[in-house]
Amino acid sequence: MELTLGDFAWLARERLDPGVWDFIEGGAGEEHTLAANLEAFDRVRLRPSVLRGAVRPETATKILGRTWDLPVAIAPLAYHNLAHPLGELGTVQGVTAAAGVPIVVSTFAGRTFEELAEAGGVPLWLQVYCMRDRSITEGLIERAARAGVEALVLTVDAPHLGRRARDLRNGFRLPAGIVPANLDGDGFATPAEHAAAEFAPDLDWSVVGWLRSISPLPILLKGILTDADAVRAADAGADGIVVSNHGGRQLDGVPATLEVLPEVAAAVGGRLPILLDGGVRRGRDVLAALALGADAVLLGRPVLHGLAVGGAEGVTRVLDIVRVELTDAMSLAGIRAIADVGPELVRPAPPAVPRVVAPAVASVVRPDAHSAGNGAQPGAPGAQPGGRVLRKEDLHSSVADPVMDTMNFLNEVTLRYPEAVSFAPGRPTDGFFDTEQIFTYVRRYLEYLAEQGDSAAQVRDAVFQYGPAAGRIRELVAHSLRADEGIDVPPESIVVTVGCQEAMFLALRALMSGPDDVLLVSSPCYVGITGAARLLDIEVTAVREGENGLSCADLEAAIQAERARGRRPKAVYVIPDHSNPSGVTMPLRARRELLDLAGRLDILVLEDSPYRLVSPGAQVPSLKSLDRARRVIHLGSYAKTVFPGARVGFAVADQPVLDAGGGTGLLADELTKIKSMVTVNTSPLSQAAVAGALLASGGRISELNAETAAYYGDAMRFTLRCLEEEFPAERRARLRMSWNSPGGGFFLALQVPFRADNAALTRSAQRFGVIWTPMAYFYPEGGGHHTIRLSISYLAHAEIQQGVSRLADFIEAESAEMREQA
């Protein structure tokens, strides 16, 4: 009994003529892309959500106005009668018995459209190769339309057929009697020669308009592999696209379709349906494709395998297996309906590793307990000419984590749409920087060293040599913390770091000693801390952030729950002032409660407050200034207060550390040891520039930034005013949207009624000229799908006003489309 699609492949090969098998199974060139299609699905890792009550998942989906029983259609395949005498007639009968899903009938079908339309009750679509003689194509479309075909699928990646080595070695010709039933003429026996003679090699995007002029049927373009072509397809008026590399049969060496699916979905998701073919061999493959952006998949070779093994009944069994596997995977993953499948379900497949395929015919291995049954054989590392090839799955798992790509995606969107107003970058405005400042600050520091009695050689070493790992300017940092923040700590408790990101990394590495140690974070949370934890294999538990920041009640419950599981919560990370990403500030009472809780439950607090000294007005006292029990490790940075390019931060770690011999040191000493093996030391030149700024301001960075803080405060107030003007109360209520009103910092959060994901962001940038950040990036355990982050720090008033106006148009359009779909 066949239990997997791999079983059907093994049996089909036994029954088919070797030349026919190679024609069906083969790919172009050395078949790298053919293998990559399968391997990409093998590398996907599903991330189930438990206790969801997904007992009987609903597999139906709606595409182009018709409801499908499964998010699966039958891919266009030429000459089904090579696999079985019934040909496409058997396929239609088998699909009709299994599920109400479309069949894409090839231009080179062995049965007429009229026969197929009479044979079953499933939708038929027509796959179109555009011929040099357009009248042939037009006649084919008219005949198919009269028979009831519901859509056209134009193959756009075949000006001619790819060079298929198996067919060339076999001298393959179609057996006698195998001809396209819907085309007149001859010369079909050698498919590659016919294609070279008859396919139109000079197609351009105007072909979509031509098809539209001769037929009212929906048009899908099959063969899209880049985001740019996906956008062009949408702009040209296509009703859908198929992400396809022709089953690896055209240009060898292009990526697997699953690898490019996310970028295509991000570019056009929501504008038109996205289908995918290539490599689908299991129900869970369907689920993975949906999670990465497809609306449905096309199933190709396995249908011919089923037809070869059992005729129409074999096709039915193939689809039944896919249905059972998909339903099983959805249930175990906690998914109740196709509409619930989202990107949080998967870790995307990393790029495929090139492999060498022997010139002999590729084999199909009989599936067993140790085989996935897809026929793909792993390549040997290092076999590729040119040197060693690494498999991404053999690298640390963090490199495939979606959180690592968030900033890259935002940068790409910004570069792709340079004319858009961007509320994404949380960077300081350039208007307060002057190149001469750097030289002034460095000179001031060098003069200070000389005033302190350092010799000329010592002054020279201070900027030219490595210096101590803990930093050269700790005394100045300590003085500034006392003057500005009321944080009174000895200089030796401070480690000067390469930005605050290194300070986070050092603190986490020192504190988290085993696999049961847990870091708690507020959610939403700055991605830098969760990224660092991911790199260090540290478990992260998210605690919901409320209107007043982290809830102590929720935090206590999370700590107790972790301890009940046998794990050790060590520290909680918070940004108490004007948080990134939400803009929320913890009131004084909540800060005192947090410190009391830390003492009572014996945990540490990692405090990160980069926006305090660039925000207007009096600030709530920092956690570290309130700390009387050394519960707070204070993480700081001069990126916002001096200049980002300095890349200087610090960690205040004054907690005593007792060694096994009874000796006592400071946690800062341990951080310094780790730093000496990571960055060795922080750039002396950068330290000199920051030190000069500290000296110039008498340690009061807040005074140095008084004008800057006023500027940012004004930008925040102006943004809020623009939002009020664009969204008066009546419009807000109608759109079901809202936002918070931070008193400082760079960020605020908008609640919107639609899903604010990468696809929506791309539509916003492309069609409305405004860029923002999806808040879902900042939720470690999922969430924030209907919230966007706006950064106000880098825009002038005119840009803010224009950007908010464009944002309003985008929100209105998305909301209207959402209502229409409902």
Side-chain angles (χ1 to χ4, degrees):
M1 178 181 179
E2 302 83 20
L3 297 177
T4 70
L5 301 195
D7 292 340
F8 278 97
W10 185 81
L11 292 172
R13 183 173 185 187
E14 289 187 330
R15 300 187 183 194
L16 292 173
D17 175 86
V20 170
W21 170 259
D22 283 345
F23 176 76
I24 292 172
E25 290 299 297
E30 297 175 319
E31 299 186 345
H32 292 301
T33 298
L34 178 67
N37 280 344
L38 297 163
E39 292 165 357
F41 281 103
D42 288 345
R43 292 191 305 278
V44 168
R45 296 295 177 261
L46 300 180
R47 305 173 69 234
S49 181
V50 299
L51 300 179
R52 300 292 295 273
V55 180
R56 296 181 182 85
E58 175 55 59
T59 61
T61 190
K62 190 172 185 180
I63 296 175
L64 293 180
R66 179 186 274 271
T67 299
W68 302 8
D69 291 346
L70 298 169
V72 178
I74 308 305
L77 302 158
Y79 305 117
H80 289 212
N81 41 0
L82 285 172
H84 191 279
L86 284 172
E88 288 81 359
L89 191 61
T91 301
V92 169
Q93 293 170 348
V95 172
T96 300
V101 299
I103 299 173
V104 186
V105 180
S106 171
T107 290
F108 296 99
R111 293 281 188 164
T112 66
F113 299 134
E114 293 80 4
E115 288 179 287
L116 301 182
E118 293 174 1
V122 295
L124 300 179
W125 294 1
L126 172 64
Q127 176 270 328
V128 178
Y129 285 111
C130 196
M131 304 296 181
R132 293 175 188 261
D133 183 348
R134 291 279 179 99
S135 66
I136 295 175
T137 304
E138 185 171 354
L140 185 77
I141 292 171
E142 289 173 352
R143 179 176 176 179
R146 286 194 299 271
V149 162
E150 296 183 6
L152 305 178
V153 181
L154 175 67
T155 295
V156 295
D157 62 354
H160 56 81
L161 295 189
R163 193 170 186 273
R164 302 168 188 175
R166 298 198 202 189
D167 294 348
L168 293 172
R169 292 190 186 98
N170 294 332
F172 179 75
R173 294 175 62 85
L174 293 174
I178 302 294
V179 294
N182 299 293
L183 293 175
D184 296 325
D186 53 21
F188 302 108
T190 306
E193 292 180 2
H194 175 265
E198 300 298 332
F199 287 10
D202 57 350
L203 291 183
D204 58 26
W205 290 100
S206 66
V207 71
V208 180
W210 176 74
L211 283 176
R212 185 74 69 205
S213 72
I214 66 170
S215 174
L217 294 175
I219 300 167
L220 297 90
L221 303 189
K222 177 177 177 290
I224 300 297
L225 285 176
T226 68
D227 55 352
D229 276 350
V231 171
R232 292 186 188 105
D235 291 345
D239 299 292
I241 60 175
V242 183
V243 179
S244 173
N245 53 35
H246 216 104
R249 293 162 71 83
Q250 283 300 99
L251 176 60
D252 194 29
V254 301
T257 51
L258 194 69
E259 292 173 14
V260 302
L261 175 60
E263 76 174 68
V264 171
V268 298
R271 292 183 65 184
L272 71 180
I274 300 173
L275 282 65
L276 172 138
D277 70 14
V280 178
R281 297 294 183 271
R282 293 164 292 224
R284 77 166 191 261
D285 294 347
V286 179
L287 204 55
L290 300 184
L292 291 172
D295 295 292
V297 303
L298 301 182
L299 192 65
R301 292 178 175 95
V303 175
L304 293 186
H305 299 160
L307 189 64
V309 172
E313 185 181 349
V315 173
T316 299
R317 293 205 303 273
V318 163
L319 279 179
D320 284 344
I321 287 172
V322 173
R323 182 202 298 272
V324 169
E325 289 181 341
L326 173 60
T327 305
D328 182 64
M330 290 174 67
S331 177
L332 293 175
I335 296 170
R336 298 180 182 180
I338 294 300
D340 296 333
V341 180
E344 65 276 2
L345 175 65
V346 298
R347 286 215 176 103
V353 176
R355 73 187 192 105
V356 175
V357 177
V361 173
S363 63
V364 171
V365 179
R366 177 66 191 251
D368 56 26
H370 304 290
S371 170
N374 59 20
Q377 303 298 306
Q384 187 75 358
R388 180 75 162 93
V389 176
L390 299 177
R391 293 182 181 275
K392 197 165 185 178
E393 60 264 38
D394 292 333
L395 304 179
H396 189 266
S397 59
S398 64
V399 301
D401 195 312
V403 74
M404 300 297 177
D405 288 327
T406 56
M407 293 304 105
N408 287 337
F409 177 77
L410 280 177
N411 290 337
E412 289 170 6
V413 170
T414 301
L415 290 173
R416 197 182 307 150
Y417 304 104
E419 301 303 315
V421 176
S422 180
F423 288 102
R427 58 186 290 185
T429 185
D430 289 338
F432 294 98
F433 301 140
D434 185 340
T435 307
E436 187 58 34
Q437 285 177 311
I438 299 174
F439 303 104
T440 301
Y441 289 154
V442 171
R443 291 189 191 99
R444 179 68 186 90
Y445 176 58
L446 298 182
E447 291 168 0
Y448 165 79
L449 293 178
E451 292 165 2
Q452 297 300 304
D454 285 6
S455 66
Q458 290 172 320
V459 172
R460 184 177 63 245
D461 284 353
V463 289
F464 283 107
Q465 287 295 351
Y466 293 114
R472 289 185 177 272
I473 63 171
R474 293 193 293 173
E475 291 82 1
L476 295 175
V477 174
H479 176 262
S480 178
L481 288 172
R482 279 193 298 273
D484 250 336
E485 299 277 28
I487 298 174
D488 191 1
V489 293
E492 57 267 22
S493 70
I494 297 171
V495 181
V496 181
T497 59
V498 181
C500 192
Q501 194 68 34
E502 187 188 31
M504 294 178 199
F505 189 90
L506 298 178
L508 291 181
R509 180 65 293 161
L511 295 177
M512 305 295 172
S513 59
D516 293 328
D517 291 345
V518 176
L519 171 70
L520 299 115
V521 300
S522 59
S523 182
C525 180
Y526 170 54
V527 294
I529 190 72
T530 51
R534 185 79 181 85
L535 289 170
L536 294 169
D537 292 316
I538 294 168
E539 290 290 335
V540 173
T541 294
V543 181
R544 181 184 58 85
E545 179 184 80
E547 291 182 1
N548 293 322
L550 191 68
S551 162
C552 285
D554 291 344
L555 176 60
E556 181 169 4
I559 291 171
Q560 300 292 14
E562 290 298 332
R563 288 176 176 168
R565 296 186 186 104
R567 302 204 291 190
R568 298 179 299 187
K570 286 285 195 72
V572 56
Y573 171 87
V574 293
I575 302 179
D577 302 284
H578 320 298
S579 174
N580 179 7
S582 65
V584 170
T585 294
M586 290 178 68
L588 180 59
R589 180 177 177 180
R591 297 177 191 228
R592 295 192 187 279
E593 289 177 356
L594 177 56
L595 292 174
D596 290 342
L597 178 66
R600 182 160 48 85
L601 297 184
D602 190 24
I603 64 166
L604 292 168
V605 178
L606 303 180
E607 177 185 31
D608 179 13
S609 288
Y611 308 101
R612 287 174 55 82
L613 301 184
V614 286
S615 294
Q619 300 298 313
V620 182
S622 68
L623 288 165
K624 188 60 182 174
S625 69
L626 299 170
D627 181 23
R628 300 294 178 263
R630 297 185 179 181
R631 288 285 169 185
V632 178
I633 298 172
H634 186 78
L635 309 174
S637 169
Y638 294 107
K640 308 297 187 293
T641 55
V642 179
F643 57 92
R647 299 304 304 140
V648 175
F650 58 87
V652 177
D654 60 344
Q655 291 72 25
V657 176
L658 182 67
D659 64 31
T664 302
L666 291 174
L667 180 58
D669 299 329
E670 311 308 318
L671 303 189
T672 300
K673 293 175 187 176
I674 300 170
K675 178 177 172 61
S676 71
M677 294 296 159
V678 180
T679 58
V680 183
N681 70 331
T682 302
S683 163
L685 270 174
S686 291
Q687 290 187 70
V690 168
L694 296 176
L695 290 164
S697 63
R700 292 192 176 276
I701 292 291
S702 57
E703 294 183 3
L704 184 70
N705 282 277
E707 185 181 353
T708 309
Y711 175 88
Y712 292 135
D714 179 60
M716 178 66 76
R717 289 188 297 273
F718 185 75
T719 303
L720 293 170
R721 189 159 62 248
C722 288
L723 287 170
E724 290 283 353
E725 291 172 357
E726 288 288 346
F727 299 101
E730 181 181 349
R731 190 182 191 191
R732 284 205 302 275
R734 175 173 58 80
L735 293 174
R736 293 182 291 118
M737 63 168 295
S738 61
W739 57 85
N740 62 346
S741 300
F746 289 4
F747 309 106
L748 61 94
L750 266 70
Q751 303 291 324
V752 294
F754 52 86
R755 192 177 183 90
D757 54 14
N758 283 356
L761 170 57
T762 303
R763 292 193 297 273
S764 178
Q766 180 185 71
R767 296 165 57 186
F768 297 90
V770 61
I771 297 171
W772 38 267
T773 305
M775 192 69 95
Y777 289 174
F778 303 97
Y779 282 77
E781 295 179 351
H785 298 298
H786 295 274
T787 312
I788 68 179
R789 187 193 79 171
L790 298 185
S791 172
I792 54 83
S793 64
Y794 198 65
L795 300 175
H797 279 204
E799 293 171 310
I800 291 172
Q801 188 169 31
Q802 184 182 48
V804 171
S805 175
R806 294 178 180 182
L807 183 66
D809 292 341
F810 164 71
I811 291 173
E812 190 75 59
E814 289 287 304
S815 300
E817 185 170 341
M818 185 184 67
R819 289 193 296 270
E820 289 175 7
Q821 292 175 351

